[in-house]
Amino acid sequence: WAGLAVKMAVGIREKQTVALKRMLNFNLPPIKNSTGEPIWKVLIYDRFGQDIISPLLSVKELRDMGITLHLLLHSDRDPIPDVPAVYFVMPTEENIDRMCQDLRNQLYESYYLNFISAISRSKLEDIANAALGASAVTQVAKVFDQYLNFITLEDDMFVLCNQNKELISYRAINRPDITDTEMEAIMDTVVDSLFCFFVTLGAIPIIRCSRGTAAEMVAVKLDKKLRENLRDARNSLFTGDTLGAGQFSFQRPLLVLVDRNIDLATPLHHTWTYQALVHDVLDFHLNRVNLEESSGMENSPAGARPKKKNKKSYDLTPADKFWQKHKGSPFPEVAESVQQELESYRAQEDEVKRLKSIMGIEGEDEGAISMLSDNTAKLTSAVSSLPELLEKKRLIDLHTNVATAVLEHIKARKLDVYFEYEEKIMSKSTLDKSLLDMISDPDAGTPEDKMRLFLIYYINSVQAPSEADLEQYKKALTDAGCNLTPLKYIKQWKAFAKMASAPTSYGNTTAKPLGLFSRVMNTGSQFVMEGVKNLVLKQQNLPVTRILDNLMEMKSNPVRTASFLLESRPGHRSFLPPATPFLIGSGENWRV
């Protein structure tokens, strides 16, 4: 259960950012047009709180809100007795114990306790007893449940968690030895995050889910939690300012809960768009990509130790205009756009240099004075645009480094070949090369690439390969260094799900190559694309997309939507067409 895509007039990113800023202002609305200094304070968070804040608020924004220090709860912290502290943590036993210890040690002037999810009464009593024992009752200024237990990465996408995400992963849910207690705990974790999302959004969803799966368990639990909260009108989280026009509006969001087993091939599929490639081949988490710079050995003396590789981190945020524009573009287009941006920057830089040179003209002749007056306005304009020019240069350098790292992986692993081949498998097109040859090619991809390719072939086969053919494939995979455990699982899963009789359809569109880049794209380009295919992407409707289309348009499709249960507004049975789709799946981030 990893990601959710959402389309709203006001994005969830903005709503969660507003909620965080209010929390950092002692749960008061920010003062508008205030010329005074902010109240200086310390922010204390755990890893969960850090993951929620870091994609939304920069260090500068925190400083502007009066945060002088931001520290982890379980780090060694010195007392700062004259400063208030804002806590933002999960209500776990370990965290509660450390907060009680802080109260006993009198670390701060006052304490504003904010919990990411709702805290239980027993744990709240533990804090009260600790405050009483430390004579710090008056120092505990406020205690709030924030209902912010999800991580927003973009205006239209969030993930449920980053810490301990393997505990609610596809593998965790589908373990053969999982107990009922463990399954209930996983479902409760997912439901809590979804409930927090809708509280922050201020809307009550219409829930649709597939029958007989973990998705149905989540839907039932979420429906129950929403009903219980709405039952008490005075204390409901969906009334008052937080809800706005949500509860009583005919335009309610649709939440579609689907099980990952409905489409296992897509997350295995090699990709060709910029954002997907960065996610697939680089170290990319919470909008930050970490790169290792190759160290030059030519200047190292003989016998010297090799230099350590420098690590650099880059933030790919919605504020990055190039990223927003090109993250969904095919990689060759991105490489070309980076080069165009670089050439545009160099032209602007050269113009500034030329104007500076003209402004330095000596002499009193009329020609010089005339040229000087003509170019003064131009230079003034150029100088005023320098900050924008420097930011443009920073983004160009960023994407040059990121795109170069991606290109190295494409070339080394022949990812363009894998992408094109897998597209043909999924669209049932004619293959121009045998699968066995692809697996046996020592220069094509890593063992993981080869296993992903074969699993896609196996999942999409109308008829499973014969035992003799399968043994041949297994030998080739083993010789290529592959671990056969995933194949064993997929074989059992396919037999259980009887997928052979009704394989998932991915449409009949394939990526078409425009030929090879046989030369450097442009003179002086940093991207030598020789040998890399310039593949043109064609839009294709994945199984989840078709399910969502049918549900949104109220179509009757016995194959795809008849098995989807309806959970309606508490106390009502509503079949009104919803206004906004929400989509959640296990194991992969999907977009609407």
Side-chain angles (χ1 to χ4, degrees), residues 268-529:
L268 296 170
H269 187 20
H270 287 86
T271 55
W272 196 236
T273 56
Y274 189 28
Q275 185 182 40
L277 277 167
V278 170
H279 183 269
D280 191 12
V281 305
L282 302 181
D283 179 14
F284 183 50
H285 296 287
L286 302 182
N287 290 347
R288 174 167 292 181
V289 59
N290 300 304
L291 300 180
E292 282 190 352
E293 290 185 331
S294 54
S295 55
M297 296 294 295
E298 62 276 4
N299 297 326
S300 300
R305 289 182 182 177
K307 292 180 181 178
K308 286 187 177 179
K309 291 186 176 180
N310 296 323
K311 286 190 176 181
K312 278 200 171 183
S313 296
Y314 301 102
D315 291 323
L316 301 174
T317 66
D320 184 339
K321 292 180 181 177
F322 185 91
W323 177 249
Q324 288 300 102
K325 183 178 179 181
H326 295 290
K327 62 186 179 183
S329 302
F331 183 75
E333 284 184 22
V334 174
E336 193 170 350
S337 297
V338 171
Q339 186 61 28
Q340 289 171 356
E341 290 286 332
L342 184 59
E343 288 170 0
S344 170
Y345 166 78
R346 284 173 177 166
Q348 289 177 278
E349 191 179 43
D350 290 343
E351 177 67 10
V352 173
K353 287 178 180 177
R354 187 183 70 82
L355 291 169
K356 283 183 178 179
S357 175
I358 291 171
M359 293 297 285
I361 291 176
E362 295 181 0
E364 298 295 329
D365 60 292
E366 291 184 5
I369 293 170
S370 174
M371 192 176 292
L372 186 67
S373 61
D374 289 343
N375 288 286
T376 300
K378 290 182 180 178
L379 182 60
T380 304
S381 174
V383 170
S384 65
S385 66
L386 273 177
E388 184 182 340
L389 204 59
L390 290 171
E391 175 63 12
K392 188 175 183 179
K393 179 65 165 62
R394 185 187 72 83
L395 292 178
I396 290 169
D397 290 343
L398 185 161
H399 288 286
T400 298
N401 293 335
V402 172
T404 300
V406 171
L407 181 59
E408 287 173 1
H409 280 275
I410 291 173
K411 285 183 170 182
R413 294 161 57 182
K414 295 187 178 179
L415 296 182
D416 52 332
V417 177
Y418 275 93
F419 170 74
E420 186 182 17
Y421 199 89
E422 289 165 4
E423 285 280 295
K424 289 179 178 178
I425 290 175
M426 294 171 75
S427 60
K428 307 293 189 291
S429 301
T430 306
L431 304 176
D432 52 3
K433 185 177 181 181
S434 77
L435 181 62
L436 207 56
D437 289 343
M438 282 284 293
I439 296 171
S440 303
D441 185 351
D443 298 324
T446 63
E448 183 184 289
D449 292 328
K450 297 175 191 292
M451 179 53 75
R452 284 167 64 177
L453 172 65
F454 183 73
L455 291 179
I456 289 171
Y457 164 75
Y458 194 87
I459 290 168
N460 285 277
S461 298
V462 177
Q463 188 172 358
S466 65
E467 283 301 318
D469 289 342
L470 190 58
E471 286 302 317
Q472 202 173 5
Y473 285 126
K474 282 183 177 179
K475 184 180 184 306
L477 290 167
T478 305
D479 292 343
C482 299
N483 180 357
L484 297 184
T485 307
L487 175 58
K488 182 181 177 183
Y489 173 80
I490 290 295
K491 188 179 178 182
Q492 292 174 339
W493 164 80
K494 189 166 182 178
F496 177 76
K498 297 181 180 178
M499 290 292 288
S501 58
T504 303
S505 171
Y506 294 87
N508 53 11
T509 57
T510 57
K512 293 188 177 180
L514 291 181
L516 297 176
F517 283 88
S518 57
R519 57 181 177 82
V520 178
M521 290 188 310
N522 292 308
T523 307
S525 171
Q526 306 215 23
F527 302 100
V528 182
M529 301 289 287

Side-chain angles (χ1 to χ4, degrees), residues 540-565:
Q540 56 178 322
N541 289 332
L542 299 176
V544 177
T545 311
R546 292 198 296 275
I547 288 171
L548 184 64
D549 285 344
N550 290 333
L551 291 172
M552 286 297 294
E553 296 171 17
M554 306 297 285
K555 290 180 181 177
S556 176
N557 187 326
V559 177
R560 288 292 174 198
T561 59
S563 62
F564 274 70
L565 292 169

